[in-house]
């Protein structure tokens, strides 16, 4: 995966809680056997009417947020299905960061494996960001190394992240290659289990 | 020190631990299906890697498969996905129950059926409803495709130890109340993110009294409560279910295994990071009215009013949900008409589910404005149901009797609810568009869905059952 550290962009304010992965990427797009090319389907049924025309008042269709790399939403983002197509589609669309007060566990894990940075801020901090972003295009700088989000007005928020995943994201490491370094431990574990049966 | 079952299983599976890192956990059983595995196998090929333990993997085709005219998948992309699983399993030596195999079915139904699912195992699958297998006292959770690839190549996963939660269901269930109603009531009461960061153990008298199939229904929807996994400590009910199944040891080896399994149960006095409780006698047959599984109420109730909610975001969520669902605040649930009934899914498509639905509809006819289908969870369930004559009861009443698969639960195949139409469904998710773009899903038990099929609207199934008794 691609390493990630600093991201500067206007925020896209998605004023929803419990955004489930069925909304992020609808099931009709899960039949493909590739990892790439899902961006054009992200939030499909919120972006488009049945006849294919754009839903004008949906935030991703707002010209002011085109090219944004940072999505902000309410709590429990990414709940539901384990489909990794969700972070694939968000990344492929152009976002590198999702900010919310909380994330569903599987989605959160899936982000970490793909270089999509999930940032947890408090409910009131997220509400402030959403409000700022809705009023007018509001730009922030995300700095993973420093674990900060800094608004264009200088307002700075700090976030926590598991140090293990922080290193993975900063370096864009392939986790499987790392795990191979523990082969001795895995083999020993398997030997122990075999003996006990 | 007293330990709960979650801590016991977790600790037994640690391959490597180090301060500041997640634990490296060994995985005992890896279940695969056609939708979330192709990119993982492709990843192996690109990196020139192999499947470390094909003997601990088992695959089937379920999400995408047609439930009628099985040999002709019209959609070329869907067909390619099915064929890709076959060729990947052939190439990497993974056992596969393909569409023609007598064991084929929804992955979470056939794992237990075949005895692959056993107490004390760590079980993963690229599907969030993997939590189902927790019913046996296993730590079973859904993973993404990158993790599928990681397990294929290393048979391990890096996992941060989750918090533990006890969900205690006190007392006895009332007449006509089922396992589905318990889990829907729990989620409605505590919210769809109540379990985030936790593995939950279901305890209490009402849980102990459930059959294995009912326990699977409860654990299945743990993910709908946001929990990483949900499980139930093994007991004699668990042991009796497992005995004689294909992949379960026999004779003395079974007795030895059974003793080990029973010892996994949470110790007397074990503690949890979080404890919630609900009284079984406050639960009635449940129906969801909104666009997530927590948006539900007892059948004697009504769609809530915005004024029932305190926070602005909850009021707004209600407004959005009702706009999508085409419902008014305050509408009695029994006043809601339906056009479709789906009896199926990994939540409720086991033999006991089909029996419960058949009992309600026997000798009656599906309402003229309703299309009703039954999709057995596996080919084994289908065969057993046919041996008992359940298919005849469903067909006589006007239900369609289909081949097994995930079907209308997520509508990846041709089984789709049309825009704006309403479906009484025994599945697990009522998200927007889940059963088709613009489709409106209401979750409930098999008995409640069957009763709705006859009436053409939601009804309190207890009234039908009471007259019958």
């Amino acid at each position: 995966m691609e390493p990630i550290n600093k991201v500067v962009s206007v925020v896209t304010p998605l004023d929803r809680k419990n955004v489930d992965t069925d909304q992020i990427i609808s099931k009709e797009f899960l039949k493909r056997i590739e990892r790439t090319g899902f961006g054009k389907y992200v939030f499909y049924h919120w972006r488009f009417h049945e006849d294919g025309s754009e839903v004008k008042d949906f935030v991703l269709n707002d010209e002011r947020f085109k090219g944004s790399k940072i999505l902000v939403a309410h709590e429990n983002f990414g709940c539901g299905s384990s489909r990794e197509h969700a972070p694939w589609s968000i990344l492929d669309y152009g976002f590198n960061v999702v900010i919310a007060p909380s994330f569903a566990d599987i989605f959160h894990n899936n982000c970490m494996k793909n270089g999509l940075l999930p940032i947890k801020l408090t409910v009131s901090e997220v509400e402030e960001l959403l409000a700022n972003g809705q009023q007018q295009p509001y730009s922030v700088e995300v700095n993973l190394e420093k674990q900060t989000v800094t608004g264009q007005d200088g307002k700075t928020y700090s976030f926590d992240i598991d140090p293990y995943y922080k290193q993975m994201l900063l370096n864009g490491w392939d986790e499987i290659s790392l795990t191979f370094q523990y082969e001795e431990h895995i083999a020993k574990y398997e030997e122990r289990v075999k003996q006990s049966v | 020190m007293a330990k709960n079952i979650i801590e016991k299983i977790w600790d037994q599976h640690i391959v490597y631990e180090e301060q500041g890192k997640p634990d490296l956990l060994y995985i005992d059983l890896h279940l695969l299906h056609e939708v979330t595995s192709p990119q993982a196998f492709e990843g192996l090929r690109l990196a020139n890697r192999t499947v470390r333990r094909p003997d601990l993997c088992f695959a089937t085709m379920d999400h995408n498969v047609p439930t009628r005219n099985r040999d002709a998948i019209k959609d070329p992309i869907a067909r390619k996905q099915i064929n890709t699983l076959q060729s990947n399993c052939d190439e990497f030596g993974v056992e596969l129950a393909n569409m023609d195999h007598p064991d084929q079915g929804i992955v979470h139904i056939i794992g237990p059926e075949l005895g692959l699912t056993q107490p004390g195992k760590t079980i993963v699958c690229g599907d969030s409803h993997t939590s189902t297998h927790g019913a046996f006292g296993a730590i079973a959770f859904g993973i993404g495709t990158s993790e599928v690839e990681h397990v294929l190549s290393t048979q391990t996963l890096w996992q941060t130890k989750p918090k533990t939660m006890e969900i205690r269901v006190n007392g006895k269930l009332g007449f006509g109340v089922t396992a589905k109603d318990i889990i829907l009531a729990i989620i409605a009461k505590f919210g769809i993110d109540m379990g985030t960061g936790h593995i939950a153990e279901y305890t209490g008298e009402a849980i102990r009294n459930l059959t294995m199939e009912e326990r699977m229904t409860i654990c299945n929807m743990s993910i709908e409560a946001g929990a990483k996994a949900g499980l139930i400590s093994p007991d004699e009910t668990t042991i009796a279910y497992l005995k004689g199944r294909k992949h379960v040891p026999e004779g003395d080896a079974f007795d030895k295994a059974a003793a080990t399994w029973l010892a996994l149960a949470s110790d007397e006095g074990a503690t949890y990071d979080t404890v919630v409780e609900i009284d079984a006698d406050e639960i009635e047959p449940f129906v969801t009215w909104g666009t997530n599984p927590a948006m539900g109420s007892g059948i004697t109730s009504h769609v809530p009013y915005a004024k029932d909610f305190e926070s602005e975001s909850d009021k707004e969520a209600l407004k959005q949900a009702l706009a999508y669902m085409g419902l008014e605040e305050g509408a009695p649930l029994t006043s809601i008409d339906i056009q479709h009934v789906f009896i199926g899914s990994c939540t409720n498509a086991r033999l006991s589910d089909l029996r419960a639905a058949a009992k309600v509809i026997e000798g009656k006819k599906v309402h003229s404005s309703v299309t009703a289908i039954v999709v057995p969870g596996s080919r084994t369930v289908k065969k057993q149901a046919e041996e008992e004559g359940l298919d005849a009861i469903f067909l006589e009443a006007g239900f369609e009797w289909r081949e097994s698969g995930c079907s209308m639960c997520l509508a990846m195949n041709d089984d789709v609810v049309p825009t704006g139409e309403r479906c009484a469904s025994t599945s697990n998710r009522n998200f927007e568009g889940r059963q088709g773009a613009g489709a409106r899903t209401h979750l409930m038990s098999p008995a409640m869905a069957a009763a709705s099929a006859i009436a053409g609207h939601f009804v309190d199934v207890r009234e039908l059952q009471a007259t019958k008794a």
Side-chain angles (χ1 to χ4, degrees):
Chain A
M1 67 188 189
E2 292 297 314
I4 176 170
N5 183 15
K6 279 188 195 170
V7 178
V8 181
S9 160
V10 292
V11 298
T12 298
L14 179 60
D15 192 10
R16 285 251 187 181
K17 66 196 291 189
N18 302 319
V19 173
D20 61 78
T21 53
D22 274 73
Q23 307 318 311
I24 298 172
I25 182 82
S26 190
K27 78 263 173 200
E28 60 267 40
F29 308 116
L30 306 184
K31 296 171 191 168
R32 299 172 67 250
I33 59 168
E34 296 82 19
R35 260 174 202 264
T36 51
F38 287 97
K40 53 182 175 288
Y41 308 122
V42 76
F43 295 113
Y44 194 84
H45 296 290
W46 285 351
R47 275 162 70 201
F48 301 106
H49 293 291
E50 249 182 289
D51 63 5
S53 62
E54 282 194 356
V55 175
K56 285 281 175 275
D57 58 357
F58 183 58
V59 67
L60 264 68
N61 291 331
D62 189 324
E63 282 304 322
R64 295 175 301 165
F65 305 122
K66 290 272 149 108
S68 163
K69 295 175 181 168
I70 301 169
L71 185 64
V72 186
H74 291 284
E75 57 263 45
N76 199 29
F77 189 89
C79 62
S81 160
S82 62
R83 54 188 75 166
E84 197 162 313
H85 311 68
W88 293 340
S89 62
I90 292 173
L91 267 172
D92 193 53
Y93 181 84
F95 293 115
N96 300 107
V97 179
V98 184
I99 300 175
S102 59
F103 294 88
D105 292 335
I106 306 177
F107 176 83
H108 192 261
N109 265 350
N110 286 341
C111 287
M112 298 304 187
K113 316 289 173 181
N114 287 281
L116 177 62
L117 173 60
I119 296 179
K120 272 185 240 185
L121 296 181
T122 65
V123 170
S124 58
E125 288 169 341
V126 167
E127 277 172 4
E128 192 171 66
L129 267 180
L130 283 168
N132 282 337
Q134 279 163 335
Q135 268 168 15
Q136 59 196 5
Y138 182 77
S139 185
V140 303
E141 178 181 303
V142 168
N143 187 318
L144 174 58
E145 181 65 55
K146 292 187 187 156
Q147 299 179 207
T148 54
V149 177
T150 307
Q152 60 189 42
D153 48 5
K155 172 98 196 189
T156 298
Y157 311 90
S158 319
F159 61 90
D160 283 334
I161 183 165
D162 184 307
Y164 173 80
Y165 289 117
K166 181 177 175 178
Q167 286 310 313
M168 292 257 299
L169 291 168
L170 281 172
N171 295 291
W173 279 333
D174 166 32
E175 197 180 33
I176 296 175
S177 305
L178 292 182
T179 308
F180 280 146
Q181 297 168 16
Y182 296 84
E183 169 56 34
E184 189 193 332
H185 297 275
I186 301 172
K188 215 185 278 172
Y189 178 93
E190 287 178 327
E191 193 51 40
R192 203 168 70 219
V193 169
K194 213 158 91 186
Q195 306 267 326
S196 72
V197 174
Chain B
M1 202 185 105
K3 274 169 116 178
N4 65 49
I5 181 172
I6 304 161
E7 296 160 336
K8 290 186 197 183
I9 301 175
W10 191 276
D11 292 349
Q12 281 174 9
H13 286 82
I14 295 175
V15 169
Y16 180 82
E17 58 186 330
E18 185 187 320
Q19 193 71 26
K21 266 197 172 133
D23 293 335
L24 187 62
L25 271 201
Y26 200 79
I27 303 301
D28 296 323
L29 174 64
H30 187 188
L31 301 167
L32 297 125
H33 64 86
E34 74 277 21
V35 176
T36 56
S37 67
Q39 295 87 351
F41 282 113
E42 183 62 14
L44 295 186
R45 263 189 298 271
L46 289 173
N48 210 9
R49 289 169 180 157
T50 56
V51 175
R52 182 187 174 86
R53 293 291 303 269
D55 57 317
L56 301 182
C57 300
F58 188 90
T60 193
M61 300 168 170
D62 56 3
H63 279 64
N64 210 346
V65 300
T67 57
R68 52 183 170 192
N69 305 327
R70 219 70 182 208
D71 3 327
I73 304 179
K74 279 174 275 167
D75 179 349
I77 308 175
R79 196 168 56 229
K80 188 173 177 192
Q81 193 170 58
I82 295 278
N83 293 340
T84 301
L85 181 63
Q86 179 75 56
S87 59
N88 282 331
C89 288
D90 292 345
E91 180 182 345
F92 290 98
V94 170
E95 190 176 348
L96 167 70
N98 66 15
M99 270 199 293
D100 304 320
H101 196 283
D103 292 336
Q104 181 271 341
I106 304 175
V107 65
H108 309 311
I109 301 228
I110 67 174
E113 239 170 36
L114 295 170
L116 288 162
T117 304
Q118 292 170 11
K121 280 191 177 181
T122 46
I123 303 175
V124 297
C125 175
D127 188 280
S128 61
H129 292 110
T130 307
S131 57
T132 312
H133 307 267
F136 291 80
I139 290 187
F141 53 95
I143 55 177
T145 299
S146 295
E147 290 186 315
V148 169
E149 188 178 336
H150 194 279
V151 178
L152 286 173
S153 35
T154 69
Q155 204 55 40
T156 62
L157 278 178
W158 293 98
Q159 293 287 309
T160 307
K161 193 171 187 173
K163 292 185 195 150
T164 59
M165 172 182 273
E166 181 184 17
I167 302 178
R168 200 182 308 145
V169 188
N170 297 315
K172 290 188 169 60
L173 286 177
F175 170 75
V177 182
T178 68
K180 184 64 161 288
D181 305 311
I182 298 180
I183 190 64
L184 285 173
I186 289 170
I187 300 167
K189 184 165 179 172
F190 301 107
I192 60 167
D193 53 359
M194 65 181 282
T196 304
H198 289 78
I199 294 181
E201 179 182 0
Y202 300 92
T203 66
E205 186 186 357
I207 299 293
R208 282 289 138 226
N209 289 339
L210 297 176
T211 65
M212 283 316 294
E213 297 199 349
E214 292 170 326
R215 293 179 188 185
M216 285 186 242
T217 298
I218 302 257
C219 290
N220 172 273
M221 291 190 67
S222 302
I223 183 69
E224 263 46 79
K228 181 175 189 71
L231 52 66
I232 295 172
S233 282
D235 57 14
E236 290 302 333
T237 306
T238 323
I239 304 300
Y241 179 98
L242 287 164
K243 192 163 191 176
R245 296 199 179 256
K246 193 171 167 185
H247 291 272
V248 172
E250 292 172 58
D252 289 347
F254 180 80
D255 294 338
K256 193 180 157 205
T260 316
W261 292 337
L262 289 171
L264 288 168
S266 289
D267 298 333
E268 192 75 38
T271 55
Y272 302 81
D273 296 302
T274 312
V275 178
V276 299
E277 291 186 73
I278 188 166
D279 290 330
D281 63 5
E282 72 180 61
I283 302 172
E284 52 172 20
F286 239 72
V287 171
T288 64
W289 42 259
T291 52
N292 74 49
M295 294 175 154
S297 306
I299 183 65
T300 59
S301 184
H302 54 80
V303 176
Y305 296 93
K307 64 175 163 58
D308 300 339
F309 296 92
E310 277 175 27
S311 81
E312 277 312 310
S313 69
D314 284 336
K315 286 181 205 287
E316 184 57 29
L318 176 77
K319 211 175 92 188
Q320 284 164 347
L322 296 189
Y324 180 84
M325 294 299 287
L327 292 172
E328 300 292 329
E329 290 179 32
L333 293 176
T334 50
S335 72
I336 300 172
D337 290 338
I338 54 159
Q339 294 76 45
H340 298 267
V341 170
F342 170 58
I343 295 178
S345 88
C346 56
T347 315
N348 281 125
R350 296 177 190 84
L351 189 59
S352 58
D353 298 314
L354 304 194
R355 282 181 184 153
K359 201 169 165 193
V360 171
I361 60 154
E362 190 163 14
K364 299 193 174 73
K365 292 286 179 197
V366 169
H367 192 272
S368 59
S369 59
V370 174
T371 306
I373 68 170
V374 185
V375 181
S378 69
R379 291 183 75 170
T380 304
V381 169
K382 182 166 187 265
K383 187 162 158 269
Q384 289 169 334
E386 287 170 354
E387 281 164 8
E388 290 183 12
L390 299 184
D391 58 327
I393 296 173
F394 283 114
L395 288 164
E396 182 60 30
F399 276 82
E400 293 173 36
W401 180 250
R402 301 286 190 85
E403 298 290 336
S404 62
C406 298
S407 176
M408 206 179 261
C409 173
L410 85 167
M412 271 192 78
N413 66 359
D414 293 336
D415 306 334
V416 176
V417 177
T419 303
E421 297 194 9
R422 208 176 283 290
C423 182
S425 180
T426 67
S427 54
N428 40 55
R429 288 193 177 129
N430 50 344
F431 295 147
E432 287 184 25
R434 175 79 180 175
Q435 297 189 292
R440 293 160 173 167
T441 302
H442 297 266
L443 305 176
M444 63 198 72
S445 72
M448 284 287 285
S452 309
I454 305 300
H457 56 84
F458 302 140
V459 286
D460 188 342
V461 68
R462 293 173 296 188
E463 291 167 15
L464 299 178
Q465 290 167 329
T467 0
K468 216 167 211 177

